[in-house]
Amino acid sequence: MPYRVLVADDDRAIRESLGRALELEGYAVVGAGDGVEALATARRDRFDALVLDVMMPSVDGLGVCRVLRADGDGTPILMLTARVETADRVAGLDAGADDYLPKPFELDELLARLRALLRRAAPDAPGRRLLLDRLTVDPGARRVWWLDTELVLSKTEFDLLELLVRNAGIVLDRATIYQRIWGYEFGPDSKNLAVYIGYLRRKLEDAGAAGLIHTVRGVGYTARSG
């Protein structure tokens, strides 16, 4: 069965051309012309991924993303944006998007990012749980606990924590983490990784698990107890 993708963009030419390109790649595509339609469609039907333009009338892409995440909908979201400032990209991540792509974009890059999102969202085969201090990570169920407290993590947050815990005690450089989590490198000035590390640290600290993720200046990050 083909992956189902919702493409929401108020520019009809972009929406239809992107839809045709995705269909040629084997995806089943549904289009939406604004945020209200996108939100109603995403709530009514099941999709494997959403491609949302940030600047849409009525409800923008960020608003759609926030509402869906508040509903508990974890469908992977790729945000398209003409805004290239770091603050605007961080706003997309804060809204719950899994990735963003500045306009104008190359189709090959969009397809690669979409494939990466779908790979990361695929359920893992049942396997053993990962342990670090009193932290338990269940890759099969995609759940995390500190003692008896379960952490609520987004897909990207879980993927990042699982990667660090699987490699506990090993310093992972930023390029490796970007490649493993996002499927490509963002460049030396990207703040994506730092933003998600910050999210994880806050959620771990709120559960009582402070100090598990360590920054190795100039290199990357590692997970270790103490």
Side-chain angles (χ1 to χ4, degrees), residues 78-199:
L78 172 61
M79 201 76 77
L80 304 180
T81 176
R83 298 170 173 174
V84 296
E85 296 299 322
T86 298
D88 294 316
R89 297 197 298 267
V90 170
L93 297 174
D94 280 340
D98 296 280
D99 197 1
Y100 65 85
L101 184 61
K103 292 181 176 181
F105 54 83
E106 295 291 334
L107 179 61
D108 285 345
E109 183 176 4
L110 183 143
L111 292 172
R113 295 191 182 205
L114 188 57
R115 287 193 297 269
L117 284 181
L118 292 169
R119 282 196 304 271
R120 287 160 46 202
D124 291 317
R128 67 181 182 86
R129 293 180 173 184
L130 307 174
L131 304 176
L132 177 62
D133 198 339
R134 287 168 286 180
L135 185 76
T136 302
V137 179
D138 188 333
R142 297 184 66 82
R143 299 175 69 183
V144 179
W145 298 266
W146 175 259
L147 295 176
D148 294 327
T149 301
E150 183 170 0
L151 283 69
V152 179
L153 304 180
S154 70
K155 280 185 170 60
T156 300
E157 291 165 353
F158 181 90
D159 291 339
L160 180 54
L161 182 60
E162 181 190 1
L163 177 64
L164 291 170
V165 173
R166 280 190 185 276
N167 295 276
I170 299 171
V171 178
L172 299 177
D173 62 75
R174 291 177 175 82
T176 296
I177 297 174
Y178 274 124
Q179 195 65 42
R180 294 284 297 277
I181 300 302
W182 283 275
Y184 49 86
E185 294 184 35
F186 278 72
D189 297 326
S190 175
K191 299 295 189 291
N192 283 41
L193 180 54
V195 168
Y196 275 101
I197 289 291
Y199 293 161

Side-chain angles (χ1 to χ4, degrees), residues 11-54:
D11 187 319
R12 182 176 178 180
I14 292 176
R15 184 175 71 249
E16 292 184 351
S17 62
L18 180 54
R20 285 194 297 270
L22 290 173
E23 287 172 348
L24 287 173
E25 292 293 321
Y27 295 96
V29 180
V30 175
D34 58 41
V36 172
E37 184 182 0
L39 190 55
T41 304
R43 282 173 154 174
R44 183 177 64 247
D45 300 326
R46 188 195 68 79
F47 293 94
D48 297 293
L50 311 179
V51 180
L52 305 177
D53 182 41
V54 169

